[in-house]
Amino acid sequence: MAVETVASTLGTSADFGPAVALSCRECGERVPLGPVFACEVCFGPLEVAYEFSSGDTGDPESLRKQIEAGPNNIWRYAPLLPVPADVASKPNLNPGFTKLVKADRLARELGITGGLHIKDDSGNPTHSFKDRVVAIAVEAARNFGLTTLSCSSTGNLAGAVGAAAVRAGFRSCVFIPHDLEAGKVVMAAVYGQDVVGIEGTYDDVNRFCSELIGDPIGESWGFTNVNLRPYYGEGSKTLAYEICEQLGWRLPDNLIIPIASGSQLTKIDKGLQELIKLGLVEEKPYRIYGAQAEGCSPVSTAFKAGHDVVRPVKPNTIAKSLAIGNPADGPYVLDIARRTGGAVEDVNDDQVIGAIKLLARTEGIFAETAGGVTIGVLKKLVETGQLDPAAETVAINTGDGLKTLDAVAPTTHPSAIIRPTLDSFREAGLA
Ligand SMILES: *Cc1c(COP(=O)(O)O)cnc(C)c1O
Ligand SMILES: [Zn+2]
């Protein structure tokens, strides 16, 4: 009994399911699973390495059945994530399994003939894709015995951390740029956590958080996207899993993914590669396209210039959730776009607003500005011949339009204001 207690306080009760180590994406150095994110040898980013128990050992069909029998949230993919098998029984927001919407009207409008789906992640508990990544980071924090959840956020992450912390029983304190949209600030503060606005850009906020981790203050803190970043990133793989499962266990031809730090895009690619390796989908070529706002387009600029390095920029765009001027995963995004034959493209703020409205009026989906960036880029890719309209495409809407009402409010009005009479309605010319 006493021995067991000591063992669990030392962390040996930690359970990461099929995950066996962290490995460096640059030099391959392996380290034990821990709240660390950079390689001690080369400073490269660490990512979760697995030993999967089926699939590559020969039985994809039973793994598919196991997944299909799981809960209607990301935990159906627990066998592919750094979480214990009984994760679904722990208090968590249980995000995921959002709708994959067949977007025929939008496809027609854009001239896409090969099929178009919108993966609508606005349906998550705090209305953005960030609930996926936070859910995995929470389990890691639990495993490491950390007591405060935190993050540097462009808005959506702060809300996702606040809600998840309440549910899972952590204290939380998050850091945001001081000038975020009102909707994002409210969504972060309403859960009762400490929200700290920092006078600076997201990149300043992120630097500050790195300093805090090194300070005794931050000792028992889990920063979802900093010291827990390897686990956090794995949450994005579930988008790849869900899209393929919802298509009937097959790969689409094209994926359009918005880029802030680039984590989501790189982990979706990782998820697709795992599905292929495990035999859960048949291997075929797919193209990954990244979407940025022109006012914060360091990755798209590097892609177009043929550069391997991403030069940091100072963001200036209405797409604040994507406003990371120095994206950590930028170089990996370039690799993936080039390797798969995709591209990275950007659109300006007017095109973002136009695309939000286009998606709303064709598919009944109201996206936040990041979704406007994604759909705007999809439109531009078709118009410029960079995307084959005869191929099957999936675009990801990562957030809810109610969070960024300010972006569309100035150009979105009632059709008429009338007196409550039939005559007045007739006069308005809408009958
Ligand atoms: C965070 C975020 C993204 C993408 O973030 P990455 O840092 O590239 O993983 C996309 N859309 C929305 C709405 C977000 O909040
Ligand atoms: Zn390394």
Side-chain angles (χ1 to χ4, degrees), residues 34 57 95 288-289 375 396:
T57 55
I288 292 193
Y289 295 86
I375 300 304
I396 301 177

Side-chain angles (χ1 to χ4, degrees), residues 235-255:
S236 289
K237 295 193 309 180
T238 59
L239 272 165
Y241 302 154
E242 288 179 19
I243 288 167
C244 291
E245 183 181 351
Q246 289 169 321
L247 287 174
W249 292 108
R250 56 185 187 80
L251 296 163
D253 297 319
N254 302 318
L255 283 137

